[in-house]
Amino acid sequence: MVDLRAAQPEDLKGSHRSRAPMKLLENKRGLVVGVANSHSIAWGISQVCHQQGADLAFTYLNESLEKRVRPLAESLNSTLIFPCDVSQDAHLEQLRENVEKWGKLDFVVHAVAFAQREDLDGRFIDTSREGFRIALDISAYSLVALARACEPLMNPGGSILALTYYGAEKVVRNYNVMGVAKAALEASVRYLAADLGQKQVRVNAISAGPIKTLSAKGIRDFNDMLKHAAEKAPLQRNVESMEVGKSAAYLLSDLSSGVTGEVHYVDCGYNLMGM
């Protein structure tokens, strides 16, 4: 048997040992919108992006959330932490101006959703007109508005990523108007992918399984959802935010350069199961 290692030039044998592996997001800049606390899916994504070499900027909704977000951002060596209410066009314009001073963006993470508590309980048919408007505005239209604000800042080959959930395509008890909002979000991902593809900017979404987050507390019987998902999923467990982060890193990196307009499931396989 021939020892192929012995046939390699001496300089090549040593080079593989000394060269550090290239990180997926090395020299990339990204904006993360929607971190609320250390349990946020967006925080799991942020941690993995940082580990993969990305420089990150963050936003916060109000002073109360700033107290949670700022220490988290600073733990990842980020000093770019901007206020932003995605329901206000003036805030998004100011965000664009702030980020523009930093430079061009390679990716944007949209992790924003909201519905009034009373519109998540009971029957969907009883959703108020104002509740419907609020849920669709903050949970779906904000992606469109954010993409428009960031469009001039995106480098070719850039990526925009949104977060969705299985309730967008199937009825999930107590998810109600949020399911409709997520369906609109997923449709928006496809239309935005068509628009921004001309600039070589990709738009995708991750459909994560249920995870204990701040927003999940507003869903009645959420613990039952967790238990059901763990029992029915092929992997027999619930997904973790860092696992969502790993898939996000792929979709935000050049490894997914040919992927756009897709909804990528990270739910331990729950979505593929029937009865």
Side-chain angles (χ1 to χ4, degrees):
M1 181 178 295
V2 178
D3 186 353
L4 295 179
R5 293 173 296 178
Q8 294 180 355
E10 289 299 318
D11 58 336
L12 289 181
K13 287 197 292 183
S15 65
H16 291 295
R17 291 192 293 269
S18 61
R19 187 186 307 149
M22 184 76 171
K23 295 181 178 179
L24 284 181
L25 299 171
E26 195 165 337
N27 301 319
K28 303 284 189 182
R29 287 179 172 177
L31 171 66
V32 182
V33 179
V35 173
N37 57 29
S38 60
H39 300 292
S40 298
I41 296 175
W43 177 238
I45 293 173
S46 300
Q47 289 177 284
V48 176
C49 287
H50 174 72
Q51 292 169 3
Q52 291 300 322
D55 291 323
L56 301 173
F58 294 87
T59 70
Y60 60 88
L61 175 60
N62 51 40
E63 290 184 4
S64 176
L65 286 176
E66 180 185 8
K67 295 176 182 178
R68 302 174 183 174
V69 176
R70 186 170 293 277
L72 293 174
E74 291 175 347
S75 74
L76 301 186
N77 302 320
S78 175
T79 58
L80 301 167
I81 308 146
F82 307 117
C84 183
D85 180 344
V86 294
S87 68
Q88 303 296 320
D89 289 334
H91 281 227
L92 289 166
E93 177 59 24
Q94 185 62 56
L95 176 64
R96 184 194 64 76
E97 293 177 5
N98 288 334
V99 174
E100 190 172 28
K101 297 173 184 176
W102 183 34
K104 291 288 188 177
L105 288 173
D106 296 293
F107 63 86
V108 175
V109 176
H110 174 280
V112 182
F114 177 78
Q116 297 181 140
R117 178 64 181 267
E118 57 267 28
D119 292 314
L120 295 178
D121 290 336
R123 305 188 305 166
F124 169 68
I125 198 172
D126 295 322
T127 304
S128 67
R129 185 181 298 275
E130 180 64 5
F132 190 94
R133 184 197 67 78
I134 290 173
L136 270 288
D137 181 20
I138 296 177
S139 308
Y141 181 74
S142 63
L143 174 65
V144 181
L146 180 64
R148 184 169 60 247
C150 292
E151 181 182 7
L153 307 177
M154 298 295 294
N155 279 320
S159 177
I160 297 175
L161 181 67
L163 295 180
T164 185
Y165 176 60
Y166 188 59
E169 60 176 279
K170 301 293 183 182
V171 174
V172 174
R173 187 164 54 92
N174 298 326
Y175 204 59
N176 293 353
V177 70
M178 187 56 73
V180 175
K182 290 297 188 182
L185 179 77
E186 292 184 8
S188 298
V189 163
R190 291 186 284 271
Y191 277 88
L192 288 170
D195 284 346
L196 297 180
Q198 300 170 33
K199 296 189 174 183
Q200 298 304 303
V201 173
R202 297 171 292 108
V203 186
N204 293 288
I206 283 181
S207 183
I211 296 175
K212 285 187 176 181
T213 63
L214 185 63
S215 59
K217 291 182 179 180
I219 302 173
R220 186 159 53 90
D221 299 329
F222 183 74
N223 287 336
D224 290 341
M225 291 174 62
L226 286 171
K227 181 180 178 182
H228 176 78
E231 290 175 347
K232 301 302 180 184
L235 295 184
Q236 296 289 286
R237 62 178 178 83
N238 291 122
V239 71
E240 298 179 357
S241 61
M242 291 291 282
E243 292 178 303
V244 179
K246 293 173 186 178
S247 291
Y250 156 70
L251 289 170
L252 296 173
S253 77
D254 295 337
L255 286 182
S256 61
S257 59
V259 180
T260 194
E262 295 294 327
V263 175
H264 178 68
Y265 289 93
V266 186
D267 62 357
C268 295
Y270 176 83
N271 74 94
L272 63 85
M273 300 302 292
M275 291 183 63

